Amino acid sequence: MTADLPELAEGNFYYQALGDGRFRSTIHAQGAWNVHEQHMAPASGLMADSLERHQPRTDMRMARLSFEILGLIPGGKFHIETTTLRPGRTIELLQAELVAGGRTAIRATAWRLVTSDTSEVAAVEDTVIPGPDECKPYDGASVWPGGYIRSLEMRVAEGHRPGAGKVWLRTDHPLTDREDSGGLARLMGLVDTANGIAARVPPGADSYAFPNLDLQIHMYRRPEGEWLGLDNAVSFGGDGIGLTSTVLHDLQGPFGRAEQILTVRRT
């Protein structure tokens, strides 16, 4: 695809906050498939941040984030519109839309649930992966182009192969130049990277493209810290559709899961 390059903000952050829900992306938010687009990862982190700020309640937390990617996400200026779809005493449904050039590029919904003490019955079946200190440095930019991938520190566990792998990510760049986003939003801004950490086939010419059309995140625990761990598996069907499935970790262990449906196309 070809398009005019957008006018980007400059700085060691992903987005410049322009006020009233308006933002401008930097080179660090640049996508991997096209030079003029944003990567879904930081865009979804910014939308998670907007959802957290929307009519906040201390007795609730977001338990599911669902992102529908409605088309290419242009770099440059855009705005985010956030609303409450379903208010409630114990359960609420929120929505955010990223609008660029008069078109909604991403629509996100978030179920926000009231919290209570269930520590007596708390249990997790997901397997813990080796921590980042037990893993080796990994150069994701040797596989993928784009400013977003270059912004990451990555570590890879033994056994990494095409189609499956265990990778840790973190970034030194704040979501915005305000540097006031919460830890959840920062971690959510890394999750979409899962679709590229153990690609079944190399991206690029004479291969296949496999962009995801959505990102579904379910969290049975609120994550903390700056490291995001991805225990990842990629499946391709025989009819042009694939799925990336990931167990999400912080340094305390697993906290949820992510799924991404893929359109698999020969390049």
Side-chain angles (χ1 to χ4, degrees):
M1 296 181 67
T2 59
D4 293 335
L5 294 178
E7 182 180 346
L8 302 178
E10 295 185 3
N12 290 322
F13 44 82
Y14 291 104
Y15 299 101
Q16 178 187 18
L18 304 175
D20 298 322
R22 297 177 298 118
F23 301 91
R24 188 195 300 269
S25 64
T26 69
I27 188 63
H28 306 301
Q30 184 187 48
W33 296 111
N34 296 286
V35 295
H36 52 277
E37 71 176 341
Q38 292 183 54
H39 198 288
M40 176 60 183
S44 55
L46 189 64
M47 296 181 78
D49 189 43
S50 297
L51 288 163
E52 275 213 298
R53 295 175 188 272
H54 179 69
Q55 300 177 356
R57 288 179 53 178
T58 58
D59 62 334
M60 284 186 155
R61 74 163 177 89
M62 286 190 290
R64 192 216 66 181
L65 284 162
S66 179
F67 299 90
E68 310 298 337
I69 306 170
L70 304 180
L72 185 143
I73 311 164
K77 283 187 177 181
F78 62 93
H79 68 277
I80 295 178
E81 302 172 356
T82 312
T83 57
T84 301
L85 295 180
R86 191 269 196 195
R89 184 174 61 85
T90 61
I91 299 173
E92 293 186 336
L93 183 63
L94 312 180
Q95 176 177 278
E97 293 188 332
L98 188 154
V99 181
R103 176 182 66 83
T104 300
I106 311 171
R107 180 174 293 122
T109 55
W111 281 111
R112 189 160 63 181
L113 279 60
V114 72
T115 58
S116 62
D117 183 4
T118 55
S119 56
E120 184 179 16
V121 293
V124 175
E125 297 293 340
D126 292 322
T127 302
V128 176
I129 65 175
D133 291 342
E134 303 171 68
C135 298
K136 298 178 180 179
Y138 178 63
D139 182 12
S142 67
V143 180
W144 291 97
Y148 168 69
I149 298 299
R150 293 195 300 270
S151 76
L152 302 176
E153 178 184 356
M154 308 176 75
R155 307 275 182 86
V156 61
E158 279 198 36
H160 190 273
R161 61 173 176 80
K166 300 174 177 62
V167 173
W168 287 91
L169 314 172
R170 70 175 173 183
T171 178
D172 289 333
H173 299 325
L175 269 176
T176 74
D177 56 338
R178 296 182 306 211
E179 299 190 28
D180 62 350
S181 301
L184 175 67
R186 282 175 59 85
L187 288 176
M188 295 300 98
L190 298 171
V191 174
D192 187 73
T193 320
N195 188 37
I197 64 166
R200 295 207 66 85
V201 295
D206 299 320
S207 183
Y208 286 85
F210 42 93
N212 53 302
L213 308 184
D214 73 341
L215 173 63
Q216 312 293 330
I217 303 171
H218 294 79
M219 296 174 285
Y220 46 77
R221 173 175 63 80
R222 183 181 178 90
E224 298 178 0
E226 60 180 2
W227 281 105
L228 177 70
L230 306 171
D231 187 357
N232 180 257
V234 183
S235 300
F236 286 176
D239 59 353
I241 298 172
L243 179 68
T244 296
S245 301
T246 309
V247 179
L248 304 173
H249 293 68
D250 62 12
L251 293 181
Q252 298 181 45
F255 67 82
R257 292 172 176 259
E259 303 283 340
Q260 297 157 286
I261 200 70
L262 316 178
T263 174
V264 183
R265 304 173 181 178
R266 184 175 287 279
T267 55

